[in-house]
Structures are given as structure tokens and as C-alpha cells.
Amino acid sequence: MLVGFITAGDPGPDATFDIAAALVDGGVDIIELGIPFSDPIADGPTIQASSLRALNAGVTPPMVLEMADQIARSLNVPVVILTYYNPIFKMGDERFLKLALRSGVSGIVVPDLPPEESTGYRKFAQKEGIDTIYLATPSTNPKRLSNIVSATKGFLYVVPLFGVTGARESFDAYSGRVVREIVGKVDRKVPVAVGFGISKAEHVRSFVDQGADSVIVGSAIVRTIERNLNDRKKMLNELEGLAKDLSSIRTS
Amino acid sequence: MKFKEFPKGGKFGRFGGQYVPETLMPAVQELDKSYRKFKSDRNFKAELKHLLSNYAGRPTPLFFAGNLTKKCGGAKIYLKREDLLHGGAHKINNTLGQALLAKRMGKSRIIAETGAGQHGVATAMACALLGLKAEIYMGSEDVRRQNLNVFRMKLLGAEVHTVESGSKTLKDAINEAMRDWVTNLPTTYYLIGSVVGPHPYPMIVRDFQSVIGEEIKKQFRSITKGYPTAAVGCVGGGSNAMGTFYPLLDTPTKLVGVEAGGKGLGTGQHSASIGAGTEGVFHGMLTYVLQDEHGQVKETHSISAGLDYPGVGPEHSFLHVEKRVDYVSVTDDEAAKAFLELSRAEGILPALEPSHAVAHAMKMAKRMKKDESLVVTLSGRGDKDVGIIADYLGENI
Ligand SMILES: Cc1ncc(COP(=O)(O)O)c(C=O)c1O
């Protein structure tokens, strides 16, 4: 499956639904909506800039959940939220999760909330029936990995490299090895989605060859939005084209 | 409460923790283990002690500021002279400790953030001394207002990366350093400059800075046989204050942390995270943060680059809610005035950061009795700030 990430409300709140629709038309199976944050430490320049555009456009977490609602219901695709922890913390775990559930959100990825810090959060998420999606990276040791595999719900988000988000031209050989090893250890207990850096169909193919069930594409999509800030129609056409290209490699 | 027993499980009460991306989790856990191992290692302690005395210049004097005391007409004011350390600030206490630790952990590349540039300079010095490569992240706004320190870092062999994102100050330099750390984890040690960030950093930096408070205790005992009535330190991230307070937590000394009040708390242009912030999760820790109602971190202001930060060390948040330490704020104007007063009264040019502590200490001294005493940690010297003071006075130099 192909997961398409966009920063919600970039370049403006009115653009997000149309962007999601173009991606779905092109073959994206799951929409991942990012809540813009002032200090995105896991993101490279592309997503940093998109967060800034969305914040400047006045986007707030409740607005993002409304967008999620519209996308989930009208486009009939699963919507996953990606957010740093502070916007959730500020609203309160329970309140945020209740609102997310009402907005049709399927799962939430919180890159700066490791399992050790999320026992309370996870309890509420389980109660509301929202998936808590954890990450595994090249530095995750076997013991952590087995805890993370048992804790994650929906899928396991595998980051195949040391680094932040950002579209890459190519991957080092170790990235393929990391994915293959993690896929082996996960042993079909949960689907594996690989994300960070993927920008081309050939990347999709190589990670699928290593056993990934899904791939997540973010900066390559956001970059396409950024390139076409002044021409909405061209933006949507190019996004649909990008999604078609990336989904031409059919994953499971 | 036994305050000195914290952190427990990486937390100071509910504050602190390890809110970091998965890539960094094994790294902070490994750091915690290595630190605990070396902390009690005899060779490590001896080497650090040797460098602190023979390279950095410890112990620093506890100076009775007789003229300032007379001027205020109340409690006796003592200055803990961290400004006399090599590099001109308390920062070297921490960078020597962490650089030795990094070396023992087999890391060859050191990254650090800096606000005023003092931590960058202290990192560059420790790295030059120990043969490590230093790369320093600094916001472009700080590069502009502290350009002397930028050149000092370069002369010391460090590479300086100018950060253009966000508010272009300390918080953005930390963001960029964290991004570098995630990218270069296997070779790189992140040398944080204050008691902030994910556990174990707030504990490590506090421990290395505690030499300040330990010396105050000893020096004060040799003068009066007791404890000072009060101790005051400025709080940006809070390392010089934490180093001053920690050894005094289980004594009767009243402890006061001074945040940057900027143009006044009512204007929104300040850096008083405890005074005007709310609890949040930022830079890997749960602590008081200046943020809006949706959890977006705000831009801050202070006349002193070293205090211009929207968060604060989690142990300070803990000591605030437990009411063991009082946190107050001092405005830009009051700090600039204290800078001038101390310069003329004692012939000491303080950095603008501790000028905040001096300003508050003078207010306190006036209300205290003559047989009471007050220690102010003078965390750095003011040479780096004379251009800012000249601008403030409207003078060309
Ligand atoms: C002289 C001096 N004092 C204080 C600070 C603030 O740091 P902290 O609150 O960690 O002591 C700085 C930071 O740059 C500094 O240079």
C-alpha cells in the first residue's frame, strides 16, 4: 500500500482536501496528515517549510482533525495523523484522542513519544480504538524492537536510515539491510511500512523487494506542493501524476 | 522531600523524561549508562579535577562585594566569580566534563548549540584541548549580536553553522543540533550546554556544574561557619543556577532563580518560562514552556542571548512546583542598570545574563538585615556584551 503524507493546511486550509483527493485519484491508499508544529526536530527543510506555511495560514490541531474527518468520509480512505507530542499534550491525551476518534482518524504516529513515555497515552488510545503507530530505526536494538513490535498497532513505521525527513536521490546499501532484518524479526505480526526519504518508484520497488508491506512518501509530495504554490491546478495534476508513478509498483 | 535524590527514573517528579525520536532512544540510554559508569571512576574524576584546576582556573573566588553591599545598605553581598574561569563563563565546567565523557565513549565528533556563544566557545576550547572535532550550531540572530564569540570559536578550530530556521536563536540551534545528531549518531556526541534536553542531560550538566555550589558551601563555611541566607542565579536553561542550588538544596539557604523579563511579562516579549509559561513537551523534556494555546512554542526576547530560550531545565520546573526555589524575573532595563552599577561599584563587568541575577540580588539585599548574607553567581564576564550595552546607551564605540 502507498501512504501519502502531507502537512495539513499547507499552503492553506482550503487546499488540503483537494490535495488529498488528487493523491487518492493517483493511487494513494492511506492519507497521513501532519499537524504543523513550530519545532519539528525530526524533519528536514522541506517539511519544516511546509509546517511554517501551514502555521502562518493559522492552522490549529482542531482544524486538522476537521480536515481528517472530511477526507476520511468523503474520499473513503483511512486517515492517519502524524504529530509531535506537544499539541496532544496541550489539549490533553484523552480529549485529543476522543476528538480524533470522532473525526474518523484510524491511527496516530507521534515521532517524539517513544513507548517508554506513552503508557498513559496508549491506554487512552486503546480505549478509544485508535491505533498507536510506533517507529523502528537502524539504531533500534533487538530488545527494543520486540517491545515496539508488540506495542505498535496498525503498522510498524520503519525508518531505514539515520536522519531526518527529506526526499533522497538514493539510499545507502544499509537501508535495504535494515528493512530486511526488521521484516524478518517482525515475522508477519504486524504490517511493515517504510518511510523517510522515499521519492521514486525505484525506491518503492527496492523496499518492497526487501519485504515491506507499504511505503510512506512525504517530502517528495510536499516538495511538489511547494514547487506549485502559485498554480493550484498544476499542483494537483503533478500530485496525481506522482502518486500514479509511485503506486505503479503494486505492493501487497 | 529529599530533593537531591532526583531524577528518579529519568524524572524530576513529573518533569523531564525522554521525549525523543526512536533513533535517539538507544543513544540517550547508552549515555545514561556510560555516565553512571564514569561518574564514579577514579581516573575520570582525577582527570576532570586536574583540568578544572589547572586549565579552567578553579576554585573561583567568593568575593565580598563591599561597595555594592554598602550601596544597597542591607545584606552582605558575595559574588561567586565564575566570570574568572577560562573562556569567561561557567560553561567550561560542563564542557570539560562532557568532552572527557565523549572521548571515553569513543566519539570523535562533538556537536553543540550555543546562544550567547559562551557554550560554543567553551565547547571549542575543550575540544581543542582534548583533540576532538567541534561543530557548533548558532542562530543567525545570535551570530549577529554575539559576533565576537563566533570568531573566537573559529580561532579555536571549531566549525560554526549558522541556523536560519524559526526564530534564529537558541531554540532553533538546539533543533538543528538534534537533527545533526539523528543523522550522524554513530560518530557524534551531542554536548548540550544547559540543564535541558532528554534525560540524562539535565542530570549530567547539573552534576558537572555543581562544583559551583560545592565551592560556595565550603568557602562560605570558612568565612562564617554557616550557610548563606540566600543564593541567587540567573536562569536561561538554568545550568549555572542549578549548579549553584543543587548542593544547597538540603540546607536552610533560600534559593532564587532569575528569569529574563525582557520588556515586561505583560508585553509577551520576554523569556520567563516558569514565570509566564505552561507545562509542555519540548526538546525532549516535559517542563515549563512559553507556548500558545495549541502547543506551538513561542518566540522569546531578552537583551541577553544566553537567556533567550522558551523552555527551562525540568529540575527547575520541579523545584518551582515543590516551592523549594523561588523564580522571579528581571527586565532588560533592570539588567542593563545592574550591569552598569556593578561595573562602577566593584570594577567588574558582568555578562548580561548574570546582570539579571545581580539586579534581583540588589533588590533583595535592600530588604534584608545587615547580618544576613546573599551569594550571587556571576556566571560570566561582560566583554561579549559591551557592544549591546553601547547600543543600549545610544553610544558609538
Ligand atoms: C554568562 C552566562 N550566564 C548564563 C547563561 C545561561 O545559561 P544557564 O541558564 O544554563 O546558566 C549563559 C548562556 O549562554 C551565559 O553565557
Side-chain angles (χ1 to χ4, degrees), chain B residues 115-116 142 145-146 234 260 271 301-309 332 335 351-356 384-385 388:
Chain B
D142 291 335
R145 53 182 170 170
Q146 301 282 348
C234 65
S271 315
H301 163 83
S302 170
I303 189 170
S304 62
L307 304 184
D308 205 346
Y309 180 63
D332 288 351
L352 277 169
E353 290 82 9
S355 295
H356 288 73
K384 70 182 177 61
D385 294 321
I388 295 170

Side-chain angles (χ1 to χ4, degrees), chain B residues 89-91 116 118 194 234-240 306-307 351 353-354 379-380:
Chain B
H90 69 295
K91 300 286 182 188
Q118 290 301 109
S194 191
C234 65
V235 178
S239 66
N240 83 87
L307 304 184
E353 290 82 9
S379 54

